[in-house]
Amino acid sequence: MRLLVTGATGKVGQAFLPAFLREPRFADWSVVALCNNRVIDAADRLSVVKGSVADQDVVSAALSGVTHVLHLAAVKETPDQAIDVALKGLYLLLDRFCQLEDARQFILLSGDCVVGHIFQDYPEPITEQSPRRAYPGVYALTKVLEEVMIEQVGIQSGLNWTTLRAPWIMEKDDFRQAFAFGGEQFGGPPWSTLLDPQRHEQIRAGGYFPAMRDARGSYLKRSFIHVDDLVRAILSSIDNPQAFGQLFNIAMDEPIDYGRVSERVKTVAGLEPADIETPFHSNWLDNSKARKILGWRPEIDLDRLVERAWNYRRAADDPRIIWYPG
């Protein structure tokens, strides 16, 4: 068997490749990594093809001898690249892959942006049957179109596809930096969009933790997943007939409650909670289907997520990386 991985140099790809290569179930598999902006070194059982997924010749070369594809490559709010990478790239991969005699499975990594996460209000837990309702922006739109494209190609061609829909993916100190008030903040929303300058400075300088409230006044609840748990879900899906033709939510068992986070951080780091009103909605990405069908369950809960993030210290050769433009 031969697995093609796109986006192999990204956050998920860099965690996935070593886990895959040391997994006994895949000991006789080879891997080809399709890289563009960043390139990894070839190694035993691992070859590298450099180029864009929007280039049909590059895609054809990368798919030579491939039986499985794991499509991780993505761009964020970059309209000039979104169509090429997200849509043309995926189309070329699917079209060429479906023509291969030994094509067995195509796995797509999607995100909870397709259901709008905190931007859209859902009255019940979000399952795989919940309507797609993207939040504003090109990234969420392209992810919706990717999910639909792979499903429809499956209908047209009989392709064995699997889509894993993940919420905000954490590693190292990401979770701590997501709540930072300076330029080191990871992700969003930018505090300047929620706080006036005086309040922003007061909280930033005073040793506080941002305890966001949702549109109803309760503490915000939002789904997360640690990259290690996501990698285990991917490994559980590869060449698994139970996963063929299926969409799975891959998230923690419960969404993170920002009130509970503030309590844990006060204990761990001594930061006082500072309530921040927001227009966002609390949502719950239901992972029941993945737990039942894949036999997968996340291992990293709120306590372990906080512990890992607040205890992690970056070395000089471990800078924070923006994994995608935008």
Side-chain angles (χ1 to χ4, degrees):
M1 300 289 186
R2 183 170 176 82
L3 172 69
L4 168 65
V5 181
T6 70
T9 61
K11 177 190 292 186
V12 179
Q14 288 201 6
F16 169 79
L17 280 177
F20 178 86
L21 291 170
R22 65 173 175 260
E23 173 61 42
R25 185 162 71 95
F26 304 114
D28 59 348
W29 289 45
S30 63
V31 185
V32 56
L34 176 54
C35 305
N36 191 16
N37 295 324
R38 297 178 296 270
V39 180
I40 59 177
D41 294 328
D44 183 39
R45 297 169 53 207
L46 172 64
S47 59
V48 178
V49 172
K50 188 177 188 310
S52 170
V53 293
D55 185 319
Q56 59 183 353
D57 293 332
V58 170
V59 169
S60 295
L63 283 170
S64 178
V66 162
T67 55
H68 297 70
V69 173
L70 173 60
H71 186 40
L72 305 175
V75 293
K76 281 282 190 173
E77 297 301 329
T78 48
D80 58 325
Q81 299 181 32
I83 299 300
D84 274 353
V85 174
L87 301 184
K88 181 180 178 182
L90 178 58
Y91 172 78
L92 288 175
L93 284 167
L94 289 169
D95 181 61
R96 301 304 190 271
F97 184 65
C98 288
Q99 297 177 34
L100 299 179
E101 183 176 349
D102 296 324
R104 182 164 174 84
Q105 183 188 24
F106 193 109
I107 300 175
L108 170 70
L109 178 62
S110 186
D112 68 347
C113 59
V114 304
V115 289
H117 54 75
I118 59 175
F119 289 88
Q120 303 286 2
D121 189 17
Y122 287 79
E124 64 281 316
I126 299 171
T127 71
E128 292 80 3
Q129 285 72 45
S130 298
R132 297 180 176 94
R133 298 169 58 197
Y135 64 72
V138 67
Y139 176 64
L141 175 61
T142 56
K143 281 299 179 185
V144 168
L145 296 175
E146 283 184 353
E147 285 195 7
V148 174
M149 188 189 302
I150 194 171
E151 291 172 4
Q152 293 303 311
V153 170
I155 292 170
Q156 291 179 318
S157 68
L159 170 71
N160 292 326
W161 60 270
T162 303
T163 296
L164 304 179
R165 181 189 287 167
W168 201 353
I169 304 168
M170 299 286 110
E171 67 158 2
K172 299 178 179 177
D173 58 352
D174 282 348
F175 193 62
R176 173 163 58 91
Q177 299 302 102
F179 299 100
F181 279 99
E184 72 275 21
Q185 183 187 6
F186 167 65
W191 303 118
S192 59
T193 64
L194 300 172
L195 299 166
D196 63 61
Q198 183 177 357
R199 174 71 166 155
H200 186 186
E201 179 58 27
Q202 176 191 25
I203 296 177
R204 186 194 67 79
Y208 292 99
F209 179 84
M212 289 196 286
R213 298 272 186 172
D214 65 21
R216 292 183 172 87
S218 301
Y219 282 115
L220 186 69
K221 295 179 178 65
R222 177 177 183 175
S223 292
F224 289 82
I225 190 70
H226 193 278
V227 68
D228 291 348
D229 282 332
L230 175 56
V231 166
R232 290 192 309 102
I234 296 172
L235 293 174
S236 298
S237 301
I238 296 175
D239 207 42
N240 181 352
Q242 292 288 97
F244 293 172
Q246 299 292 335
L247 164 66
F248 297 101
N249 289 335
I250 305 298
M252 296 170 68
D253 287 337
E254 297 182 2
I256 295 298
D257 182 311
Y258 280 46
R260 287 190 59 207
V261 174
S262 65
E263 293 173 0
R264 293 295 300 130
V265 172
K266 183 176 181 178
T267 301
V268 171
L271 300 179
E272 292 292 332
D275 286 2
I276 298 176
E277 295 181 358
T278 80
F280 303 129
H281 302 282
S282 291
N283 284 316
W284 184 314
L285 201 65
D286 188 337
N287 69 5
S288 299
K289 181 178 176 180
R291 287 190 285 118
K292 180 175 178 60
I293 295 179
L294 296 179
W296 165 89
R297 186 155 202 160
E299 296 179 350
I300 299 174
D301 59 10
L302 171 60
D303 288 344
R304 294 185 68 185
L305 193 61
V306 170
E307 179 184 358
R308 286 188 178 208
W310 262 262
N311 289 336
Y312 188 85
R313 294 294 179 267
R314 288 185 178 270
D317 60 350
D318 183 26
R320 290 195 61 78
I321 297 174
I322 298 175
W323 293 107
Y324 34 70

